[in-house]
Amino acid sequence: MAIGLDDDALTRARFDTLQARIRKAPENFLDAGMILEVGRGRRDVLRGAFVAALAALGGSARAVAEEAKPAGEDAILKLPPWSTSLGRPVAATPYGMPSKYETAMLRRQSPGLTQVAASSVSFMPLQGMFGIITPSGLHFERHHQGWQEIDPSQHRLMVHGSSDEFVRKAKVYTLDDLMRIPSVSRMHFIECGANTGMEWGNVAVPTVQYTHGMLSCSEFTGVPLRTLLEDCGVDLKKAKFVLAEGADGSSMTRTIPIELVTSGEAIVAYGQNGEMLRPENGYPLRLVVPGVQGVSWVKWLRRIKVGDQPWATKDEAVHYMDLMPDGQHRQYTSIQECKSVITSPSGGQTLLDKGSYNVTGLAWSGRGKISRVDVSFDGGVNWVGAQLQTPVLPKCLTRFNVGWIWDGGPALLQSRAMDETGFVQPGYRQLRDVRGVRSIYHNNAIQSWKVSESGEVGNVQIL
Ligand code: MTE
């Protein structure tokens, strides 16, 4: 994966910055007169209503009303076309789409990453999202060999063993077979091990979409893998690992420790956010391995093999491992450690005025629940506790919020998460002390956003 920004990349980055700015400032969509009204309190609204009543009296009262008219009142007094015409009928769009005004909420390809044939990444726009669930159409994508439209009636999943001693009766399942087995639905985050990878090189890509957008969170529905292993008569005392293989051209294969299966956590999923998986995300079957790096969530799942040793396949011997300071590669570092990021205000956005802001973001840990998030406005000198928004679930995104009054001066915004095991998200110095500077994967360092006096927010690293 090559890292670096070229000219085209910078142009794209500027475009994306503009998009983010528009998203942060929805009032830009309104008439100029109304912009002045944004941010005014309830009293102004009441005053508007009062003036409207006066206007209805006509004559001198109208003149008084004109005199007292606050800027932007016209817009509230006028009846827009959507209040005076028939709306569109039901099912005009049998599958609902976002408003045409929501043009900035798009997956984007990072200008800084080299695309090799169909091997590529699209990042999820977390700067504009609310709550914790990623709409399926915005779920990030990472394909090693592109994605396919698989015919579900043709798709099969085989469960077998390295030898007969592990699996008594190997089986091949159709999707229909799997959907007849009692299912579970669980909310979990998925994060690519390469998320925030460019920051290792201090590239400082412009927006949170590019720093942290290889992350998503969905409700997944399917069958616990344990159920299938039991159905095939797997000896769970002898089995130590399973190998999962995808049906795409990359034949993605990953070794999963058996504990993640026997715990009942790993799911063979066909559902995502109440509907079938999207083709880009593994339709019709994918493995869900909560807390573990995204590469192990094998998409278009076609085979599960049971054995007692890791397989060290090409996908495990070349990437998604950590080059340590002593030159050794650390393999099978699968758990995504505790991490958080402020999503708004964030890089590429602009604060329009002094005053109060909701500083919001996401926290997650591959080891369980988030127990607290602290936020700093001065680069880590002082910290305040943020509010964790419910639900707070294990191995799931957690939304945090904290109020902030921006005084118009420079500020450095950071968030620091802690999980239920007591693990505290490290700063860059702490992380580099252990991991050195040559990694690409597993960067969970504290992210810093610099707010300048002009209100522009940019990506900086604080050591
Ligand atoms: N599974 C297959 N079969 N092929 C792939 O290329 N990419 C992996 C994983 N599973 C991949 C795969 C990687 S590296 C990641 S991060 C996640 O899928 C991304 O899942 P998503 O595209 O649904 O976000």
Side-chain angles (χ1 to χ4, degrees), residues 139-146 190-193 214 216 245-248 250-252 280-282 286 293-301 320:
H139 193 290
F140 84 98
E141 304 161 275
R142 172 74 180 108
H143 320 304
H144 286 242
Q145 196 48 262
I190 164 172
E191 182 183 24
C192 181
M214 279 196 260
S216 292
E245 182 187 71
D248 54 328
S250 77
S251 295
M252 168 66 68
E280 310 92 289
N281 305 119
R286 93 169 303 165
Q293 62 175 336
V295 67
S296 296
W297 296 45
V298 173
K299 301 190 277 191
W300 314 294
L301 184 68
Y320 301 100

Side-chain angles (χ1 to χ4, degrees), residues 343-373:
T343 53
S344 185
S346 61
Q349 297 181 333
T350 303
L351 304 185
L352 297 178
D353 202 355
K354 291 179 199 173
S356 59
Y357 285 87
N358 178 35
V359 174
T360 187
L362 294 164
W364 61 100
S365 166
R367 297 195 185 273
K369 289 185 189 170
I370 290 297
S371 57
R372 66 176 292 153
V373 177

